[in-house]
């Protein structure tokens, strides 16, 4: 009887721990979806402002907010060491110089990403920014001399097919922006370059993603200033009627907060699930994001347009699965850390970003 009671108790504890774990994962995934989708729609709202055509200034301000939040998180970590976990960061000119090549690529990535979103909108954004995986394979071969398996190349072919079909269908619908497609291709290329350079400079920041974010955004703030001057955005900002509007600055700051938060929730989702699950979640999120955008804008899309989205998302998921299987075969030791690094710095977005 005692043994039976003990077994029942252990079973109840196991079921309770499973429920708690499942609930925790569900909350983390929901948080990732909320932050990522909200960030995309928020950026689209800011960039779609007819009165202020200053995408560089908007992106610059978000970098300023990220730097401020890094300082704030560092302060909270000192005041509440058991509650907030954030590395201590002191600005070092030598480290900043080592991170500079990545910061130049980083500026290109976030600028072209926002320009793509500005011109194509949220509904076509998934397709417009879909070639990151293809550029990962191409640039890894050119720069790192890394070859790719035939199965992974087939996945890239599916993504390319989906991209071209999507462009074709958007063109037939009369809503295609070639500027948006151009910026989307550039953004995809810079996402891949960012992955490669991130791996190179990680030792300079002791492998800390938050230190890297701190230095990256400080460098970006400085580098954006001459670009804002050259592209004439100073005059546009100065003449903007809503410059003293608290709602405008509130939305701008909120965009920066969500830009900072996406890095945290991405890491959190990987921690509580796995790199592969994170990629599947990201794919499902992109699908939901597209559906929300189409419904919100009351758009009517053809079957082939939806097929192009499914090809892009399916090809991306298949590529992730193929690479995961290849890593499992090639090495057993340290697989999880390696996979996490590949996901965070090379395999895929989020990127939401």
């Amino acid at each position: 009887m005692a043994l039976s009671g003990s077994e029942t108790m252990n079973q109840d504890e196991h079921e309770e721990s499973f429920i708690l774990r499942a609930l925790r994962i569900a909350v983390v995934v929901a948080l990732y979806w909320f932050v990522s989708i909200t960030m995309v729609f928020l950026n689209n709202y800011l960039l779609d402002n007819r009165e202020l055509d200053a995408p560089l200034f908007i992106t610059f301000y978000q970098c300023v907010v990220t730097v401020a939040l890094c300082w704030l998180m560092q302060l909270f970590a000192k005041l509440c060491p058991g509650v907030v976990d954030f590395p201590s960061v002191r600005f070092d000119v030598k480290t900043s110089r080592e991170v500079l090549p990545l910061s130049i690529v980083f500026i290109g990535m976030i600028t072209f990403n926002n320009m793509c979103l500005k011109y194509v909108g949220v509904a076509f954004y998934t397709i417009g920014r879909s070639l990151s995986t293809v550029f990962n394979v191409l640039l890894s071969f050119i720069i790192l001399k890394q070859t790719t398996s035939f199965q992974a190349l087939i996945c890239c072919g599916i993504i390319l097919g989906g991209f071209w079909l999507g462009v074709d269908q958007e063109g037939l619908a009369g809503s295609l922006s070639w500027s948006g497609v151009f910026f989307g291709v550039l953004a995809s290329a810079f996402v891949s370059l960012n992955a490669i350079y991130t791996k190179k400079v990680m030792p300079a920041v002791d492998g800390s993603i938050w230190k890297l974010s701190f230095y990256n955004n400080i460098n970006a703030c400085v580098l954006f200033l001459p670009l804002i001057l050259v592209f004439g955005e100073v005059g546009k900002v100065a003449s903007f009627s809503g410059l003293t509007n608290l709602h405008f600055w509130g939305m701008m700051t909120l965009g920066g907060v969500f830009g900072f938060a996406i890095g945290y929730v991405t890491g959190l989702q990987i921690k509580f699930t796995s790199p592969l699950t994170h990629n599947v979640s990201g794919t499902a999120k992109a699908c939901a994001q597209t559906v929300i955008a189409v419904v919100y804008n009351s758009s009517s899309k053809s079957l082939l347009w939806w097929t192009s989205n499914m090809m892009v998302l399916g090809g991306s998921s298949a590529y992730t699965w193929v690479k995961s299987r290849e890593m499992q075969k090639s090495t057993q030791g340290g697989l999880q850390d390696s996979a996490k690094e590949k996901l965070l710095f090379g395999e895929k977005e989020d990127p939401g970003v």
Side-chain angles (χ1 to χ4, degrees), residues 57-101:
F57 172 73
I58 291 170
T59 312
F60 159 77
Y61 184 80
Q62 291 181 345
C63 290
V64 171
V65 171
T66 298
V67 172
L69 286 172
C70 283
W71 280 109
L72 202 60
M73 290 296 288
Q74 187 180 200
L75 179 63
F76 284 152
K78 288 179 181 177
L79 295 174
C80 314
V83 179
V84 180
D85 182 24
F86 200 86
S88 179
V89 182
R90 250 181 218 179
F91 183 76
D92 180 70
V93 177
K94 181 176 177 293
T95 305
S96 178
R97 199 183 305 120
E98 289 176 345
V99 175
L100 186 59

Side-chain angles (χ1 to χ4, degrees), residues 325-344:
R325 296 276 295 179
E326 287 175 1
M327 286 196 302
Q328 284 177 0
K329 288 179 181 178
S330 63
T331 177
Q332 294 298 323
L335 174 62
Q336 191 174 3
D337 291 339
S338 172
K340 285 181 180 179
E341 182 187 351
K342 275 185 174 289
L343 178 74
L344 283 169

Side-chain angles (χ1 to χ4, degrees), residues 141-182:
F141 177 74
I142 294 171
I143 298 173
L144 304 176
K145 308 301 178 186
Q146 291 179 354
T147 56
T148 305
S149 68
F150 179 69
Q151 290 90 338
L153 288 175
I154 288 176
C155 297
C156 290
I158 294 170
I159 295 169
L160 274 170
F163 173 78
W164 285 116
L165 181 60
V167 169
D168 175 68
Q169 290 301 301
E170 198 76 1
L172 289 174
S175 53
L176 179 67
S177 167
W178 282 108
S179 296
V181 173
F182 174 70

Side-chain angles (χ1 to χ4, degrees), residues 45 240-252:
Y45 167 80
F240 177 50
S241 60
L243 204 59
T244 56
N245 191 321
L246 289 177
H247 173 74
F248 167 73
W249 288 109
M251 294 300 283
M252 287 276 283

Side-chain angles (χ1 to χ4, degrees), residues 42-267:
L42 191 55
N43 280 340
N44 183 243
Y45 167 80
L46 292 168
L47 294 161
D48 202 34
N49 193 325
R50 306 288 182 187
E51 293 183 46
L52 181 63
D53 183 21
L56 291 175
F57 172 73
I58 291 170
T59 312
F60 159 77
Y61 184 80
Q62 291 181 345
C63 290
V64 171
V65 171
T66 298
V67 172
L69 286 172
C70 283
W71 280 109
L72 202 60
M73 290 296 288
Q74 187 180 200
L75 179 63
F76 284 152
K78 288 179 181 177
L79 295 174
C80 314
V83 179
V84 180
D85 182 24
F86 200 86
S88 179
V89 182
R90 250 181 218 179
F91 183 76
D92 180 70
V93 177
K94 181 176 177 293
T95 305
S96 178
R97 199 183 305 120
E98 289 176 345
V99 175
L100 186 59
L102 172 64
S103 300
I104 294 169
V105 174
F106 174 73
I107 281 179
M109 180 183 74
I110 57 176
T111 300
F112 292 135
N113 194 64
N114 279 347
M115 293 297 285
C116 173
L117 186 58
K118 175 182 173 67
Y119 284 104
V120 305
V122 179
F124 193 67
Y125 182 63
T126 300
I127 296 175
R129 270 267 286 100
S130 63
L131 298 183
S132 300
T133 301
V134 177
F135 277 110
N136 272 341
V137 172
L138 185 63
L139 293 175
S140 293
F141 177 74
I142 294 171
I143 298 173
L144 304 176
K145 308 301 178 186
Q146 291 179 354
T147 56
T148 305
S149 68
F150 179 69
Q151 290 90 338
L153 288 175
I154 288 176
C155 297
C156 290
I158 294 170
I159 295 169
L160 274 170
F163 173 78
W164 285 116
L165 181 60
V167 169
D168 175 68
Q169 290 301 301
E170 198 76 1
L172 289 174
S175 53
L176 179 67
S177 167
W178 282 108
S179 296
V181 173
F182 174 70
F183 287 125
V185 172
L186 283 178
S188 298
F190 272 84
V191 165
S192 300
L193 282 172
N194 185 72
I196 292 169
Y197 278 95
T198 295
K199 291 177 184 178
K200 288 185 175 182
V201 303
M202 280 303 282
V205 290
D206 305 318
S208 170
I209 189 65
W210 290 117
K211 282 185 180 180
L212 182 64
S213 178
F214 174 74
Y215 281 104
N216 227 356
N217 282 278
I218 282 183
N219 287 347
C221 289
V222 176
L223 293 170
F224 264 124
L225 293 174
L227 291 174
I228 291 170
L229 276 169
V230 169
F231 286 93
E233 290 193 3
V234 174
K236 293 177 183 178
V237 173
S239 61
F240 177 50
S241 60
L243 204 59
T244 56
N245 191 321
L246 289 177
H247 173 74
F248 167 73
W249 288 109
M251 294 300 283
M252 287 276 283
T253 304
L254 195 61
V257 170
F258 272 92
F260 175 84
I262 191 63
Y264 177 75
V265 295
T266 297

